[in-house]
Amino acid sequence: MTWLVTGGAGYIGAHVVEALTEAGMPAVVLDDLSSGHAGFVPESVPFVRGSILDGELVARALDEHAVTGVIHVAGYKYAGVSVTRPLHTYEQNVTGTAVLLERMQSAGVDRVVFSSSAAVYGTPDTLLVTEETPKAPESPYGESKLVGEWLLRDQATAAGLHATALRYFNVVGSGSPRLFDSSPHNLFPLVFDALSEGRVPRINGDDYDTPDGTCVRDYIHVADLALAHVAAAKRLEVGDELLPAYNLGSGEGVSVRQIMDTVAEVTGIAFVPEIGPRRPGDPARIVASGELAARDLDWRMRHDLREMVASAWAAHQAASRG
Ligand SMILES: NC(=O)c1ccc[n+]([C@@H]2O[C@H](COP(=O)([O-])OP(=O)(O)OC[C@H]3O[C@@H](n4cnc5c(N)ncnc54)[C@H](O)[C@@H]3O)[C@@H](O)[C@H]2O)c1
């Protein structure tokens, strides 16, 4: 079976491709390089450059590479920016997914693993988010991911699609120093960029109702995340049915201050973070249970916080050396 990885030149997609390759599962990448890097795609993996919005290109990629399943990672992921670019966000994440599913149906490709997000929950009023926690997205980004899940559900009913969505929490780390997160909005790259430029990283608010006053989030290592995709793909390959959605969370929260302390330890750069005001809309704590994924997708935290920070820092340093 050959798996098409949309967005396979991006941070998470490239790790998925690496994990598929290591598992001996053939992969093909389709990516328009809007935020990805051609250099993230290994030479041994066929690379189709273009958008999932280009139905003919998608159809050709499915056909020419005899694709039997799709891991749909491509997307526009900037939740904050999506508020000012709702139409772009919906075009990429909703229309793009619809075009992909339509072409899959025409080609008889009936298995898909979809990159969803914790953003479908908005600000959940619970200590531990489960798959049943009410969905209340608070940005066009979160909405577009939820609609993506609905598209999968409805295609399963209408056309027998075998599908599952993986709701990622805060993805960090690097599985290899050549792969890094280049997002200008995520905490790790922001902290590393600040340190590299001699600025002091900032904590947005230290007066939350949490043990140390800073926000608590659920950090997961990208290489662990990639393995869950391989497990899902394998289950779909042998005809197993999976749940419509799984949380990929650790069950454990880590505070922003704990991250800063670990960064100081790992980098050897002693710093005292600047404390800024709260960012509007930042909830105090979001932590998810990954129990169902552990049961069905061999989901485990194979890396601790120190490894997440150290691997991300090593990849950031390698990237800045070019
Ligand atoms: N990084 C996170 O913490 C996180 C959390 C939850 C969900 N996600 C989701 O995971 C997916 C991957 O995120 P990432 O962090 O690797 O981001 P990324 O920006 O590094 O990767 C996205 C990839 O998709 C490609 N792409 C975007 N639009 C495309 C299109 N129309 N056609 C073809 N390719 C396209 C980009 O060029 C890029 O390579 C996204 O769908 C994102 O919404 C990420």
Side-chain angles (χ1 to χ4, degrees), residues 138-200:
E138 290 172 353
S139 66
Y141 171 72
E143 290 164 356
S144 72
K145 287 290 172 182
L146 191 54
V147 177
E149 290 191 14
W150 292 343
L151 287 174
L152 262 54
R153 177 197 65 192
D154 295 343
Q155 270 299 87
T157 307
L161 182 71
H162 304 283
T164 191
L166 305 181
R167 297 180 186 140
Y168 315 156
F169 281 71
N170 295 67
V171 188
V172 295
S174 278
S176 132
R178 69 180 190 88
L179 304 178
F180 53 88
D181 180 5
S182 51
S183 160
H185 305 286
N186 286 358
L187 178 66
F188 275 40
L190 282 173
V191 172
F192 294 159
D193 284 345
L195 290 178
S196 306
E197 290 159 19
R199 288 180 287 113
V200 177

Side-chain angles (χ1 to χ4, degrees), residues 295-309:
R295 185 193 70 190
D296 292 354
L297 306 176
D298 192 25
W299 166 246
R300 278 179 284 136
M301 298 291 280
R302 295 169 170 87
H303 298 82
D304 63 16
L305 179 61
R306 198 186 155 85
E307 289 169 309
M308 294 185 208
V309 172

Side-chain angles (χ1 to χ4, degrees), residues 1-6 20 26-28 62 65-72 104 108-113 161-162 233 236-237:
M1 282 200 64
T2 297
W3 288 85
L4 177 73
V5 182
T6 70
L20 285 169
V28 180
L62 295 174
H65 297 280
V67 169
T68 41
V70 175
I71 302 184
H72 177 30
M104 286 173 62
V109 178
D110 64 356
R111 298 171 179 95
V112 67
V113 179
L161 182 71
H162 304 283
L236 293 177
E237 270 186 8

Side-chain angles (χ1 to χ4, degrees), residues 34-204:
S34 51
S35 57
H37 309 266
F40 280 11
V41 184
E43 272 176 21
S44 56
V45 172
F47 176 34
V48 180
R49 181 170 179 179
S51 173
I52 50 169
L53 288 156
D54 181 346
E56 280 175 23
L57 181 81
V58 172
R60 255 199 329 275
L62 295 174
D63 177 48
E64 283 175 8
H65 297 280
V67 169
T68 41
V70 175
I71 302 184
H72 177 30
V73 182
Y76 185 72
K77 70 164 175 176
Y78 303 123
V81 189
S82 77
V83 176
T84 55
R85 299 190 71 194
L87 300 181
H88 178 74
T89 306
Y90 270 75
E91 179 190 44
Q92 297 300 311
N93 295 355
V94 176
T95 310
T97 301
V99 169
L100 176 69
L101 293 178
E102 182 187 28
R103 295 301 177 152
M104 286 173 62
Q105 185 178 349
S106 307
V109 178
D110 64 356
R111 298 171 179 95
V112 67
V113 179
F114 173 59
S115 291
S116 188
S117 168
V120 300
Y121 297 108
T123 308
D125 183 20
T126 174
L127 275 181
L128 202 59
V129 177
T130 72
E131 287 76 0
E132 297 309 312
T133 297
K135 316 302 167 292
E138 290 172 353
S139 66
Y141 171 72
E143 290 164 356
S144 72
K145 287 290 172 182
L146 191 54
V147 177
E149 290 191 14
W150 292 343
L151 287 174
L152 262 54
R153 177 197 65 192
D154 295 343
Q155 270 299 87
T157 307
L161 182 71
H162 304 283
T164 191
L166 305 181
R167 297 180 186 140
Y168 315 156
F169 281 71
N170 295 67
V171 188
V172 295
S174 278
S176 132
R178 69 180 190 88
L179 304 178
F180 53 88
D181 180 5
S182 51
S183 160
H185 305 286
N186 286 358
L187 178 66
F188 275 40
L190 282 173
V191 172
F192 294 159
D193 284 345
L195 290 178
S196 306
E197 290 159 19
R199 288 180 287 113
V200 177
R202 176 213 284 245
I203 293 179
N204 298 308

Side-chain angles (χ1 to χ4, degrees), residues 247-293:
N247 285 340
L248 297 185
S250 67
E252 303 270 336
V254 173
S255 75
V256 177
R257 197 180 290 282
Q258 281 174 291
I259 300 274
M260 296 284 183
D261 290 347
T262 312
V263 169
E265 216 178 283
V266 162
T267 60
I269 305 174
F271 65 92
V272 178
E274 182 187 313
I275 307 296
R278 290 184 181 199
R279 255 189 338 199
D282 261 353
R285 174 190 154 98
I286 300 187
V287 177
S289 161
E291 264 181 39
L292 292 177

Side-chain angles (χ1 to χ4, degrees), residues 192-245:
F192 294 159
D193 284 345
L195 290 178
S196 306
E197 290 159 19
R199 288 180 287 113
V200 177
R202 176 213 284 245
I203 293 179
N204 298 308
D206 68 348
D207 56 352
Y208 287 91
D209 185 16
T210 57
D212 67 20
T214 66
C215 286
V216 171
R217 294 290 179 270
D218 192 341
Y219 293 93
I220 55 178
H221 194 290
V222 67
D224 295 342
L225 181 87
L227 288 178
H229 291 71
V230 171
K234 280 186 176 162
R235 296 287 307 266
L236 293 177
E237 270 186 8
V238 297
D240 290 345
E241 287 303 329
L242 294 172
L243 294 178

